[in-house]
Amino acid sequence: MDNFDIGLLSFPVLMLLIFLRMPIGLAMFAVGFGGLYFVTGGTVVALAKMKSEAYSTFSSYSLSIVPMFLLMGQFATLGGMSKALFKAAESWLGHLRGGVAMAAIGACAGFGAICGSSLATAATMGQVALPELKRYGYSGGFSSATLAAGGTLGILIPPSVILVIYAILTEQNIAKLFLAAFIPGILAAIGYMITVSIYVRLNPDAAGTRPAVPMSERFEAMINVIPVLVVFLLVVGGIYLGIFTPTEGAAVGAMGTGVIAWWSGGLRGRAWLDSFLATAKSTAMIFFIVLGAAFYNSFLALTQVPQELSQWVVEQGFNPWVVLSIILVLYLVFGCLMDSLSMILLTIPIFWPIISILDFGLSTEELAIWFGIIVLIVVEVGLITPPVGMNLFVINSMDRETPIVKTYGAVMYFVGSDIIRVIILVLFPGITLFLLRLLH
Amino acid sequence: QDVTLKMHQFLPAQAKVPTDILDVWADKIEAESDGRIKIDRYPSMQLGGRPPELADQVVDGIADIIWTVTGYTPGRFPRSEAFEMPFIMTNGEDTSRAYWQYVENNMLDQDFAELKMLGVWVHGPGLIHSKSPITSVADLNGVKLRAPTRVTNKMFTDMGATTVGMPVPAVPEALSKGVIDATVIPWEVTTALKVSELVENHTTWPDNALYTTTFIFAMNKDKYEALPDDLKAVIDANSGEEFSAFAGKTMQAADQQGLDFAMERGNNIIDLSEEQIAEWKEAAAPIEAWWVEEMDKAGIDGQALLDEAKALIEENSK
Amino acid sequence: MYRVFLTLARFAAILGGIVLTALIVLTVVSVAGRALNTMMHWLIDIGLLGGLAQSVLDMGVGPVLGDFELVEAGIAFCIFAFLPLAQITGAHATVDILTSRFPDGVNRALTALWEVIFAVVLIVMAWKLYDGMQGKMRYNETTMLLQFPVWWSYAASLGGAVAAALVATYVALARLAEAATGRVILKGAL
Ligand code: NA
Ligand code: NA
């Protein structure tokens, strides 16, 4: 068995371990370690790598964005920003048919603009909106599905932890990726709202009604959203306009939301410590996966699998669009079972070299950005596709009365909306690249 | 083949140093060993880690051959800093030849004791690329400037610049966003980093070099020792002084492209006059004393090393 | 026992959170310093309030020297310090689609197996980090701008790594006991 075979064999082994519920980061680490053992003929190299690999992965300046964005999301919740967003959206949309669900989507989009993680968005908005949806007679399955789908806006709308990691893997500009994600993110929110209105027309029993709120109250609710807007403009605008680097933007955002939370009295004693604990758990989870992937990928590089695979694809002379479609379908299938971060870390080092040498009529930079946004969307679909969808689980854990199967049924409408959006963005790269081309 | 060697470095495969120097060397080794040595090339840190770890990687055997910037691990190869002193280098070829001789005399059983050295070299004269024109030392005042090494950072800080530390790949973004106003790098690197599109002014020191950066190309010692004698001979025949001189010459030759590109764009190329250069020399001079003192603290005779470096450069540049 | 290790993990995480907060403040101060510096130079250039601007600059207002280096060193400590909590609360991402159909006993055995492997990995990681630290000491490596020894950052991280190894060992033993007796020792997520 030569190195290339060992590299190929590592895929099924890794999958088997993951499906036996080995923690994903640990599985990648273990397979990478074992692979290095076979390829280099001993543990010397693998152990030597451990001397510096963990420290160098954890001390990355670019990755320091991740805990900062996560902490920022915690502070935003403590500062009452999630509540303010939902109140504002609800006062404008609540009286429409399915309006409270639409408001939940709108509030998720708003929260996504100051939070870099989907799970955090789903969890935060779930806490705020789930009781309200129940109160106005929305069915459990539909409410959970709406919030799970809305949660994905946390990553689709910049800032976005996954885009940061994609940017590092493909050596692309984080600010440009954030800019490119903006229109697709808004399209996602609009698509979800349309989905809500279609769903309540097909299932009239799934949603209750609520009287309209007077205009004065609506504008009053808007005022409370101003801090959210300010933080978003400061962070994403600041990163884009070049007032600071992405890491600096994350720091400014975390400090800004922290001050707001402090001001509003949400950041006292226990709550502050809890925000540290929550940030610690998510951060450690993410970084261990990043470390496992780094280990696994350096083993894979030694086996030359990524290089030979991409060369093979090119030699076959496949149509670029067919290759892209196959890759996207693979993501959708694996997305039903795996989480998005692991998928990105595992596959981008293999798929990006393939995509980068195919001709889509775009420059390498535009191609990297367009491909990144589309991959981002398809892996995020994985968060809401049954059976394994992290967002579904998060919401389900907050609403034990609703069997998850009911949520599975309703969420498929949102998955449909996602797939339509992916097809549109694949067919018209100009939509994703519009802002980028406009501003450069 | 008998042996496969993993060659690891941080630049993309299509950059000048890999294509014109490292691949040339590797191809030659493969050919002259009749294919008994195969060299697998891993550009862009494909084997993992970050550029400062390359030195550890080759010692530990994670990679068999590496190329890296000596200054990425400040403090580890202190003696090499003599060649980073301002206004010391003449041209890439001669200075690299001198550097190899200096390494043989002073560093092989010290700084580089754990490495099998294949070549050492310097890049062409370094210069300043800036948003606002810089002609006198006073123009540096308050300029946010990125420099590559411990020595250069100290020097520019002392001259009044606000030095900002960051990895090279971050330079284009930082320039375009005003995080920095200027950077020092040789012309060769400006092409890949698109520096000439981001700044309009380039200050040069004709017939002089404000600074340079040193590089090492090294092999794992055990891996080398384990080779049969005839294969060792192939490696030896292609390593050392001649190869170092070739690498330094090739790297400086690549500067022309960067200069041409900046001229094509109509950028402002400032060639300082003799008098202006004299002012810079005076301002830069204290760094030598600082360095000698630093070396003394580490128990190294800095003055002797500096004198030897200067003498070797002069001798080789005749 | 559970209380002791949970407290250790929480303590490490909160320490990491405090360092993270400090890094955030440091970065914001650096950004503000840079912005002020740029603004003062601009004022001097356009000839407005030049004297005031110059005196502000003379006070040394500008970006914090070596802010990148401090963030890198600090963030490494944070991540290592966060690991113990993730370990004891079972925060690591898993896929349980297949195993949810397995009998309880099998699942407990699997959990114990993975936690044992995890503990081994974290112990080796702490040991190797110690090795790495010794290398940095031996080679006298420093950072570029502030020139503080790199091994200092390694040493700080080592603290977190050792805590992670300790907690992981406890978790592994507890999971083994759970698999053997069927009793619940670790409460799982907080
Ligand atoms: Na977001
Ligand atoms: Na899924």
Side-chain angles (χ1 to χ4, degrees):
Chain A
M1 203 162 59
D2 65 8
N3 289 352
F4 185 78
D5 296 333
I6 297 174
L8 280 185
L9 187 68
S10 72
F11 290 122
V13 172
L14 180 62
M15 285 301 141
L16 179 72
L17 290 174
I18 287 174
F19 283 110
L20 288 175
R21 224 185 62 224
M22 190 170 194
I24 296 172
L26 182 66
M28 290 198 272
F29 191 92
V31 174
F33 195 98
L36 282 171
Y37 175 85
F38 286 112
V39 169
T40 62
T43 55
V44 177
V45 170
L47 283 176
K49 272 190 93 65
M50 286 183 77
K51 254 172 49 175
S52 54
E53 190 93 13
Y55 180 82
S56 95
T57 306
F58 294 171
S59 67
S60 153
Y61 182 78
S62 348
L63 278 176
S64 66
I65 294 183
V66 173
M68 291 184 188
F69 273 152
L70 293 176
L71 191 61
M72 174 170 147
Q74 292 289 326
F75 286 164
T77 307
L78 291 176
M81 290 170 147
S82 47
K83 216 170 268 166
L85 276 164
F86 182 67
K87 279 262 146 35
E90 199 210 4
S91 72
W92 286 91
L93 299 167
H95 59 285
L96 303 173
R97 202 191 244 182
V100 184
M102 288 183 195
I105 297 288
C108 283
F111 197 71
I114 50 167
C115 177
S117 136
S118 286
L119 292 184
T121 304
T124 306
M125 295 316 300
Q127 265 157 15
V128 174
L130 213 47
E132 299 289 308
L133 285 161
K134 287 285 180 67
R135 188 145 71 95
Y136 292 114
Y138 285 70
S139 79
F142 177 55
S143 303
S144 300
T146 303
L147 285 164
T152 65
L153 297 172
I155 285 276
L156 297 177
I157 292 176
S160 161
V161 167
I162 302 245
L163 276 185
V164 170
I165 293 188
Y166 177 85
I168 293 169
L169 285 174
T170 58
E171 295 174 357
Q172 292 301 317
N173 182 317
I174 293 174
K176 288 184 181 173
L177 274 159
F178 279 6
L179 188 70
F182 197 71
I183 292 180
I186 299 296
L187 286 181
I190 295 172
Y192 288 160
M193 288 199 193
I194 295 173
T195 308
V196 166
S197 81
I198 292 173
Y199 186 87
V200 294
R201 274 171 178 77
L202 296 176
N203 308 278
D205 298 340
T209 51
R210 212 211 58 178
V213 171
M215 274 298 169
S216 60
E217 236 175 84
R218 295 188 192 183
F219 283 105
E220 216 178 287
M222 291 289 281
I223 291 172
N224 294 330
V225 181
I226 290 174
V228 179
L229 200 68
V230 170
V231 170
F232 172 74
L233 287 178
L234 196 62
V235 175
V236 175
I239 291 173
Y240 185 71
L241 292 175
I243 301 164
F244 28 67
T245 66
T247 304
E248 290 166 353
V252 169
M255 184 143 160
T257 47
V259 168
I260 291 170
W262 180 265
W263 192 263
S264 65
L267 199 61
R268 297 285 145 88
R270 212 40 247 177
W272 197 354
L273 296 187
D274 282 342
S275 69
F276 283 166
L277 297 181
T279 303
K281 280 198 273 184
S282 318
T283 304
M285 186 262 274
I286 290 174
F287 275 76
F288 204 84
I289 295 178
V290 172
L291 175 64
F295 226 79
Y296 180 70
N297 286 330
S298 55
F299 147 68
L300 219 50
L302 260 183
T303 67
Q304 307 265 5
V305 164
Q307 297 91 316
E308 293 193 24
L309 217 55
S310 56
Q311 214 172 343
W312 179 81
V313 170
V314 173
E315 279 164 9
Q316 304 306 304
F318 292 131
N319 180 317
W321 298 94
V322 174
V323 176
L324 178 67
S325 308
I326 292 173
I327 288 178
L328 294 180
V329 169
L330 275 177
Y331 273 120
L332 280 174
V333 171
F334 274 96
C336 292
L337 309 163
M338 274 183 75
D339 87 300
S340 29
L341 178 66
S342 328
M343 278 207 294
I344 293 267
L345 282 163
L346 204 55
T347 57
I348 290 300
I350 297 168
F351 289 161
W352 169 239
I354 296 179
I355 290 293
S356 67
I357 40 183
L358 295 175
D359 182 16
F360 290 91
L362 298 171
S363 71
T364 309
E365 185 186 44
E366 285 194 337
L367 179 60
I369 287 171
W370 173 64
F371 180 64
I373 301 297
I374 290 169
V375 167
L376 175 74
I377 299 171
V378 289
V379 298
E380 281 299 289
V381 180
L383 290 178
I384 56 168
T385 47
V388 181
M390 289 306 289
N391 276 13
L392 297 173
F393 297 160
V394 167
I395 302 294
N396 184 247
S397 70
M398 294 178 185
D399 178 17
R400 292 286 181 199
E401 292 152 37
T402 306
I404 198 154
V405 185
K406 289 256 183 315
T407 312
Y408 284 171
V411 87
M412 291 317 290
Y413 288 80
F414 294 97
V415 173
S417 147
D418 280 332
I419 290 174
I420 292 169
R421 188 169 75 257
V422 168
I423 293 173
I424 292 174
L425 294 177
V426 167
L427 292 178
F428 306 103
I431 299 176
T432 308
L433 299 170
F434 177 75
L435 283 179
L436 211 62
R437 288 173 175 170
L438 187 74
L439 294 169
H440 276 272
Chain B
Q1 81 269 0
D2 297 357
V3 234
T4 305
L5 300 175
K6 305 184 287 274
M7 183 164 97
H8 200 205
Q9 51 88 18
F10 60 89
L11 286 182
Q14 63 277 10
K16 283 280 175 194
V17 170
T19 59
D20 294 5
I21 301 172
L22 308 182
D23 285 349
V24 171
W25 182 88
D27 291 344
K28 230 168 147 224
I29 296 288
E30 290 183 342
E32 289 178 19
S33 68
D34 294 322
R36 287 169 59 207
I37 297 178
K38 182 167 173 282
I39 297 175
D40 284 341
R41 295 138 215 219
Y42 298 94
S44 308
M45 299 306 295
Q46 272 176 3
L47 293 181
R50 290 191 286 162
E53 278 147 52
L54 285 163
D56 274 337
Q57 291 186 343
V58 75
V59 171
D60 294 337
I62 293 171
D64 301 315
I65 297 169
I66 57 104
W67 170 74
T68 191
V69 176
T70 323
Y72 278 170
T73 45
R76 181 164 181 166
F77 307 116
R79 291 171 182 81
S80 64
E81 285 175 341
F83 277 75
E84 291 171 4
M85 292 296 132
F87 300 106
I88 195 169
M89 84 168 291
T90 50
N91 63 71
E93 182 176 9
D94 297 335
T95 310
S96 297
R97 196 181 286 281
Y99 183 28
W100 176 266
Q101 293 166 0
Y102 172 91
V103 164
E104 274 197 322
N105 295 344
N106 304 297
M107 296 177 72
L108 285 187
D109 49 4
Q110 297 285 342
D111 309 45
F112 298 147
E114 295 181 28
L115 301 168
K116 161 71 188 167
M117 298 306 289
L118 303 173
V120 295
W121 64 91
V122 299
H123 65 55
L127 61 152
I128 299 182
H129 311 265
S130 58
K131 290 190 179 162
S132 317
I134 290 175
T135 50
S136 70
V137 176
D139 293 336
L140 276 180
N141 196 2
V143 168
K144 297 188 287 288
L145 177 141
R146 185 255 169 208
T149 57
R150 194 173 86 103
V151 170
T152 44
N153 271 299
K154 168 77 178 150
M155 179 175 83
F156 287 110
T157 307
D158 290 351
M159 287 179 171
T162 304
T163 47
V164 182
M166 66 176 64
V168 191
V171 164
E173 192 175 338
L175 272 178
S176 72
K177 304 238 161 123
V179 170
I180 54 175
D181 314 312
T183 183
V184 291
I185 41 169
W187 279 117
E188 185 254 326
V189 192
T190 60
T191 328
L193 295 183
K194 300 186 171 65
V195 168
S196 303
E197 295 167 47
L198 297 165
V199 302
E200 308 223 307
N201 302 283
H202 312 267
T203 309
T204 79
W205 284 256
D207 303 319
N208 284 276
L210 178 62
Y211 81 98
T212 189
T213 305
T214 61
F215 301 95
I216 54 174
F217 185 51
M219 184 171 173
N220 177 279
K221 231 174 178 170
D222 295 339
K223 202 81 179 190
Y224 172 79
E225 294 301 341
L227 291 176
D229 285 343
D230 58 332
L231 291 186
K232 268 187 198 154
V234 173
I235 301 266
D236 291 344
N238 288 290
S239 307
E241 189 176 317
E242 287 311 314
F243 172 67
S244 301
F246 158 78
K249 183 182 174 186
T250 310
M251 214 163 160
Q252 181 165 354
D255 283 346
Q256 192 58 42
Q257 203 186 349
L259 173 62
D260 290 346
F261 184 65
M263 305 238 294
E264 259 170 51
R265 286 187 56 85
N267 283 6
N268 178 24
I269 314 247
I270 304 163
D271 292 327
L272 297 181
S273 67
E274 288 284 338
E275 297 84 65
Q276 286 168 320
I277 293 175
E279 188 213 353
W280 284 89
K281 281 187 171 167
E282 199 190 324
I287 195 78
E288 288 189 358
W290 170 79
W291 186 74
V292 168
E293 200 180 305
E294 288 275 299
M295 289 306 104
D296 288 347
K297 270 190 257 164
I300 297 169
D301 187 351
Q303 193 59 52
L305 289 175
L306 193 55
D307 292 344
E308 183 181 342
K310 285 180 180 170
L312 283 170
I313 293 172
E314 196 185 19
E315 199 177 299
N316 282 284
S317 303
K318 272 176 193 159
Chain C
M1 276 302 255
Y2 176 64
R3 284 274 125 205
V4 173
F5 283 96
L6 186 62
T7 308
L8 171 65
R10 280 184 174 166
F11 176 75
I14 288 167
L15 209 57
I18 292 169
V19 171
L20 177 62
T21 309
L23 296 178
I24 287 169
V25 173
L26 168 88
T27 305
V28 172
V29 168
S30 190
V31 171
R34 194 176 65 214
L36 262 176
N37 180 294
T38 306
M39 196 196 285
M40 293 303 129
H41 276 283
W42 175 73
L43 284 176
I44 292 171
D45 282 353
I46 62 166
L48 198 72
L49 298 172
L52 177 72
Q54 192 55 52
S55 53
V56 170
L57 286 176
D58 291 343
M59 280 160 50
V61 167
V64 175
L65 180 73
D67 53 347
F68 276 61
E69 293 170 359
L70 289 170
V71 168
E72 287 187 343
I75 211 76
F77 167 76
C78 292
I79 312 297
F80 279 107
F82 289 164
L83 279 176
L85 189 69
Q87 221 54 35
I88 201 161
T89 56
H92 292 289
T94 55
V95 171
D96 30 19
I97 166 78
L98 197 65
T99 50
S100 58
R101 287 144 209 235
F102 292 178
D104 277 0
V106 176
N107 268 321
R108 273 200 294 272
L110 275 178
T111 306
L113 176 62
W114 303 146
E115 292 296 351
V116 168
I117 295 178
F118 224 138
V120 171
V121 166
L122 289 176
I123 290 168
V124 174
M125 191 181 289
W127 162 43
K128 285 286 131 189
L129 191 67
Y130 177 71
D131 263 10
M133 182 184 83
Q134 286 192 314
K136 299 295 161 199
M137 281 168 99
R138 196 171 66 239
Y139 298 129
N140 301 313
E141 282 186 30
T142 68
T143 65
M144 189 87 76
L145 293 172
L146 296 173
Q147 302 199 19
F148 64 85
V150 175
W151 74 264
W152 289 2
S153 341
Y154 269 71
S157 294
L158 189 60
V162 168
L166 283 174
V167 171
T169 307
Y170 166 73
V171 170
L173 293 174
R175 291 295 185 202
L176 281 173
E178 284 181 347
T181 62
R183 205 159 52 87
V184 176
I185 299 170
L186 301 173
K187 319 284 187 295
L190 294 185

